[in-house]
Amino acid sequence: MRPHIAGSADIDDGSDQAAISLAAARWNRAVADCSYMRIEVLAPSADARPGYSSEGGNENVIYWVESGWLHDPAATGITTINFVDNPSREDDGRIVDADIELNGNFTFGSDTGDDVVDIQNVLVHELGHVL
């Protein structure tokens, strides 16, 4: 997964990027004995944007949508998975893209309190959808 370099507008100390790595590590430990899958967190990039193109060039990203949230307003995050859906193909079911969007209408933080959403908790949940 490649996070967008901007991270959350609510956080200016880098704890949003650290929470991504901690959430991935939590899943990697949890599935270590029962799966070959691992979540690798790549360096943040300004080019990391959600979306899928059948022409290729896709990257799995984590992105804060700070304005213009198009999904359920009650959702703190949403994971969109694109996969091969053709039973006649050998790679039927293979995930070809997975993007996590986080709802910037919520206040995210690593220290939860009144009206602050625990960023690591949300990311663990959304990464579970990826797995």
Side-chain angles (χ1 to χ4, degrees), residues 16-119:
D16 49 355
Q17 302 292 341
I20 294 169
S21 294
L22 291 168
R26 179 180 267 175
W27 268 112
N28 289 340
R29 282 190 308 274
V31 301
D33 294 335
C34 61
S35 175
Y36 65 90
M37 293 185 70
R38 299 292 176 270
I39 299 170
E40 181 181 3
V41 178
L42 304 174
S45 168
D47 296 327
R49 305 261 182 207
Y52 172 73
S53 170
S54 61
E55 303 298 316
N58 298 293
E59 187 166 47
N60 304 325
V61 302
I62 299 172
Y63 185 81
W64 271 266
V65 179
E66 297 296 348
S67 65
W69 181 255
L70 300 175
H71 310 290
D72 180 348
T76 53
I78 188 167
T79 299
T80 303
I81 306 289
N82 290 281
F83 58 93
V84 176
D85 186 16
N86 185 337
S88 67
R89 288 183 44 174
E90 186 175 301
D91 61 348
D92 183 46
R94 182 175 67 91
I95 295 173
V96 292
D97 188 57
D99 296 328
I100 296 173
E101 295 173 76
L102 299 163
N103 186 350
N105 294 321
F106 288 87
T107 302
F108 286 94
S110 54
D111 293 324
T112 58
D114 292 342
D115 299 322
V116 176
V117 175
D118 182 347
I119 188 171

Side-chain angles (χ1 to χ4, degrees), residues 7-25:
S8 171
D10 303 319
I11 299 170
D12 60 7
D13 65 359
S15 61
D16 49 355
Q17 302 292 341
I20 294 169
S21 294
L22 291 168

